[in-house]
Amino acid sequence: MTEIRPFRIDVPQSDLDDLRERLGRTRWGAAIPGKGWERGVPEDYLRELAEYWRTEYDWRAHEAALNEYPQFTTEIDGANIHFLHVRSPEPNALPLLLTHGWPGSVVEFLDMIGPLTDPAAHGGDPADAFHLVIPSMPGYGFSGPVKDTGWNVDRIARAYKELMSRLGYERYGTQGGDMGAFVSPSLGKQDADHVVGVHVNAASYGFIPYGEVSDEELATFTDVEKARIARLKNWTDNGSAYFQVQATQPQTLSYGLTDSPVGQLAWIVEKFKVWTYPTEALPEEAIDRDRMLTDVMLYWLTDTFGSAANLYYENMHSGGDWSQERGTMPTGVAVFAEDIAIRRYAEYGYNIVHWSDFERGGHFAAMEVPDLLTADVRAFFRTLR
């Protein structure tokens, strides 16, 4: 079945009523003594955010905003794939597939759609225009839960290869962050005859050292590289618990967070806090509160928290191309202030032709600093059109 079907978001009112009722019945437990985020999301912050979600956040307004973009679904390899497909008014625009990660969604890219598809209307050069394809990863958001196991990043890349073929795009680029920084390079390898280049941000494995860095090698590091190694060590020591759980027991975790909206909110908003720039600030200082809640809603309303978390398990257990054999695909990397990628390690495995270091922005660059990410994507693909 290769049919591409138009799609429109229309969440039943009963689902919204159920969410509000659940939020109102939250069992909070005993507060842990102390203040701040060192033990996780503070109760006072989460109570206020949950109450805002229950009483002030307007899903219908954000649903309508999402529905302004053309959306479709198609079945590939047994999975439903939901995607936005926004064509540029420029006839020579380059097709570009944008891939989100966890705990992201298609809403990450909303502030980039206009500037990328119609740069002339946003102060840019029309020669930099793109036709955009923005899928919800299999198992995420309106793609819905996957129906079988084995959906690791390489299988997702194969599905995206088929998606771009169905859309009739014979020459295109791909960009991704977080899990998208795995999927996009895999797509570049699997569809090298059609992909012109791969751009990534929020890159980790494949763009960082494997194992410990010796004192001798560390002595050759720049101050920027030393800061990234320190950030990586802090993540390993203090911030990787979510990774370990999702890569080993995602099903166990999913029961509680699929049943409790506050539990799901806490699990996701913690990452918005610690992965945005500056990490010491509240996440709302980097990302609009409603945009953050809309991202959470795409997990809650579609019952995809469990299948989304399962991607970590699949990557760790069902195999994947994690080799360091150097590829030839032109690769561009944008490294924002809270990222950890280091060029000398990325060059072991990738043909790095473009590298940008930024002093602001974090893991969710498409939402935090869409202007910087947009400009970097334009600059990278400008020589590959």
Side-chain angles (χ1 to χ4, degrees):
M1 181 183 296
T2 61
E3 179 186 5
I4 295 176
R5 302 170 296 275
F7 178 83
R8 184 174 179 83
I9 304 169
D10 186 14
V11 172
Q13 184 60 40
S14 58
D15 289 356
L16 303 180
D17 294 340
D18 174 71
L19 171 61
R20 291 192 180 95
E21 290 172 7
R22 287 172 182 266
L23 288 169
R25 296 197 311 269
T26 299
R27 184 182 183 194
W28 289 96
I32 299 174
K35 296 181 179 180
W37 291 73
E38 65 273 5
R39 297 174 186 264
V41 184
E43 183 182 344
D44 58 349
Y45 171 82
L46 193 62
R47 278 183 179 269
E48 191 275 327
L49 182 60
E51 183 64 10
Y52 176 86
W53 192 14
R54 187 180 74 87
T55 61
E56 297 185 52
Y57 172 81
D58 183 0
W59 163 256
R60 293 301 185 197
H62 298 285
E63 179 183 72
L66 284 166
N67 279 330
E68 291 179 4
Y69 299 103
Q71 298 172 67
F72 305 87
T73 61
T74 191
E75 184 177 316
I76 300 176
D77 194 13
N80 182 62
I81 307 290
H82 161 263
F83 61 99
L84 280 62
H85 187 197
V86 187
R87 290 185 58 84
S88 171
E90 301 296 334
N92 296 321
L94 177 69
L96 179 65
L97 187 143
L98 298 176
T99 303
H100 67 81
W102 185 92
S105 67
V106 296
V107 305
E108 286 190 55
F109 300 109
L110 294 183
D111 290 335
M112 295 177 65
I113 291 176
L116 287 176
T117 58
D118 192 4
H122 295 81
D125 185 344
D128 288 329
F130 296 92
H131 301 306
L132 295 183
V133 179
I134 312 175
S136 297
M137 283 203 296
Y140 283 66
F142 290 106
S143 286
V146 291
K147 300 174 183 176
D148 59 349
T149 59
W151 279 98
N152 63 1
V153 294
D154 290 334
R155 188 173 175 185
I156 293 172
R158 287 196 298 274
Y160 287 176
K161 174 183 175 180
E162 172 63 20
L163 175 61
M164 296 304 277
S165 176
R166 288 186 189 180
L167 293 173
Y169 291 135
E170 297 184 355
R171 189 172 183 275
Y172 65 95
T174 181
Q175 196 283 332
D178 186 76
M179 282 293 180
F182 296 134
V183 174
S184 294
S186 179
L187 178 57
K189 289 181 180 180
Q190 296 188 51
D191 202 14
D193 290 341
H194 300 100
V195 175
V196 300
V198 172
H199 184 281
V200 298
N201 67 289
S204 55
Y205 293 100
F207 298 83
I208 57 176
Y210 284 78
E212 294 290 326
V213 176
S214 69
D215 291 339
E216 292 78 11
E217 186 167 6
L218 190 61
T220 70
F221 276 29
T222 65
D223 289 344
V224 169
E225 291 173 328
K226 288 177 181 177
R228 289 177 188 165
I229 285 291
R231 195 175 301 122
L232 172 60
K233 186 178 188 305
N234 182 62
W235 177 85
T236 302
D237 294 345
N238 303 304
S240 62
Y242 80 96
F243 181 99
Q244 297 297 331
V245 174
Q246 294 183 178
T248 55
Q249 288 92 30
Q251 188 61 51
T252 302
L253 176 69
S254 72
Y255 296 119
L257 302 195
T258 299
D259 186 60
S260 168
V262 165
Q264 191 168 131
L265 177 64
W267 192 260
I268 293 176
V269 78
E270 180 189 88
K271 302 311 168 199
F272 279 111
K273 163 65 168 64
V274 299
W275 291 350
T276 50
Y277 175 81
T279 188
E280 299 82 9
L282 293 177
E284 290 93 333
E285 294 188 31
I287 298 173
D288 177 76
R289 173 177 277 200
D290 275 19
R291 181 65 54 82
M292 187 167 61
L293 288 173
T294 300
D295 181 78
V296 174
M297 287 289 274
L298 263 63
Y299 287 85
W300 178 262
L301 294 171
T302 59
D303 191 17
T304 54
F305 179 87
S307 60
N310 192 59
L311 177 56
Y312 285 77
Y313 184 95
E314 297 291 358
N315 288 337
M316 296 298 291
H317 293 85
S318 61
D321 185 6
W322 307 104
S323 69
Q324 280 290 88
E325 181 180 350
R326 194 173 190 273
T328 60
M329 177 64 61
T331 302
V333 185
V335 189
F336 293 90
E338 291 296 333
D339 289 340
I340 56 176
I342 297 175
R343 182 165 188 164
R344 65 174 73 192
Y345 299 109
E347 289 183 336
Y348 290 143
Y350 298 99
N351 176 25
I352 305 296
V353 300
H354 175 96
W355 187 280
S356 300
D357 294 309
F358 295 98
E359 295 182 354
R360 49 188 188 96
H363 187 86
F364 303 97
M367 288 192 281
E368 296 179 64
V369 284
D371 55 333
L372 296 183
L373 183 56
T374 295
D376 204 66
V377 169
R378 289 174 177 170
F380 170 67
F381 284 104
R382 196 168 288 145
T383 62
L384 300 173
R385 290 176 176 270

